[in-house]
Amino acid sequence: MKKLIVANWKMNPNSQEEAKNKFEEIREGSRGLKSEVVVCPPSVYLYASGFGEGVISMGAQNVYFEEKGAFTGEISCVMLKDLGVEYVIIGHSERRKYFLETDEIINKKIKTALQAGLKVIFCIGETAEDRNNGDKEDVLERQIKIGLDGVVSENLNIAYEPVWAIGTGDNCSVKETKESIEFIKKFLNPENRILYGGSVKSENSGSYIKEAETDGLLVGGASLDPKELIDIVKSAE
Ligand code: PGA
């Protein structure tokens, strides 16, 4: 199974030109590397990406579960597929927190995306409060059981992202990540890749692949620097 390295640009950068330059640098740097590299820009830049010319894949950061109609501001799976998008991130903690996405909404999105032929990167993770209260495993189990209710697919990837580790520089230790990954694995099929995300940089990325035995990484802030992202991809080789 190839390692999966996903760049989540979130709401960055501020211009098409900057986005294009980053795509090109990542595409060039990824040539000949063994891992699968997926870039998830804001959806307005998906079209400008040139779709990686087979070197990198494109992913969306969100999608809606209805097929079409009166849903102002939303984008459907069919539209993403038509554009050539291969992956979609669903259930990111920022969507859960700021856009009030529930486990049930996430479940609908995952089902629709898989049915449409998109590959899913399903994010789960506990908050600092959950962790301090000793509720981590209960929270992960709830997110998985509801989020994946009725879902079995080889196109499903899980990203374990402790919320307290996202964008904080306080990345999860290899030991704790490994324990969580082992816990999560119990609910999945062997073909589902499990990634780690949360303050990944080139200086810590290799240890998540080699020591925590993850199948890849979901990278936020560091993925906006193409050189840093390529170093992360190389560390997974
Ligand atoms: P970070 O973000 O790498 O900036 O911590 C990860 C994510 O939110 O996917």
Side-chain angles (χ1 to χ4, degrees), residues 8 10 92 94 161 165-167 197-200 218-221:
N8 176 12
K10 308 193 181 186
H92 192 281
E94 287 151 18
E161 296 206 302
I166 296 177
S199 298
V200 171
L218 178 49
V219 189

Side-chain angles (χ1 to χ4, degrees), residues 36-77:
E36 194 176 349
V37 180
V38 181
V39 179
C40 303
S43 46
V44 289
Y45 299 141
L46 282 165
Y47 199 69
S49 69
F51 296 100
E53 293 163 5
V55 179
I56 54 177
S57 304
M58 282 297 127
Q61 298 174 14
N62 180 35
V63 74
Y64 195 51
F65 54 77
E66 294 288 352
E67 214 170 284
K68 61 178 175 180
F71 304 102
T72 302
E74 294 299 321
I75 294 173
S76 75
C77 294

Side-chain angles (χ1 to χ4, degrees), residues 166-219:
I166 296 177
T168 57
D170 183 17
N171 56 303
C172 189
S173 72
V174 166
K175 181 174 174 285
E176 193 175 336
T177 304
K178 197 171 173 183
E179 283 163 9
S180 299
I181 299 283
E182 271 161 21
F183 177 77
I184 294 163
K185 254 187 199 154
K186 290 192 270 188
F187 301 95
L188 303 174
N189 290 326
E191 66 269 23
N192 301 133
R193 287 179 287 194
I194 310 182
L195 323 184
Y196 167 78
S199 298
V200 171
K201 300 183 196 70
S202 58
E203 67 202 37
N204 59 32
S205 53
S207 62
Y208 287 108
I209 303 282
K210 285 160 195 153
E211 294 162 42
E213 293 168 27
T214 64
D215 303 307
L217 301 162
L218 178 49
V219 189

Side-chain angles (χ1 to χ4, degrees), residues 1-7 34-40 55-59 86-89 119-122 154-159 191-197 200 205 208-209 214-219 229 232-233 235-237:
M1 211 162 22
K2 275 191 180 180
K3 301 293 180 204
L4 180 62
I5 312 295
V6 183
K34 289 199 268 320
S35 302
E36 194 176 349
V37 180
V38 181
V39 179
C40 303
V55 179
I56 54 177
S57 304
M58 282 297 127
E86 209 176 324
Y87 283 85
V88 60
I89 298 173
K119 295 173 185 165
V120 168
I121 300 149
F122 167 40
E154 60 186 18
N155 287 331
L156 174 71
N157 305 278
I158 312 283
E191 66 269 23
N192 301 133
R193 287 179 287 194
I194 310 182
L195 323 184
Y196 167 78
V200 171
S205 53
Y208 287 108
I209 303 282
T214 64
D215 303 307
L217 301 162
L218 178 49
V219 189
L229 181 67
I232 291 170
V233 180
S235 77
E237 297 283 293

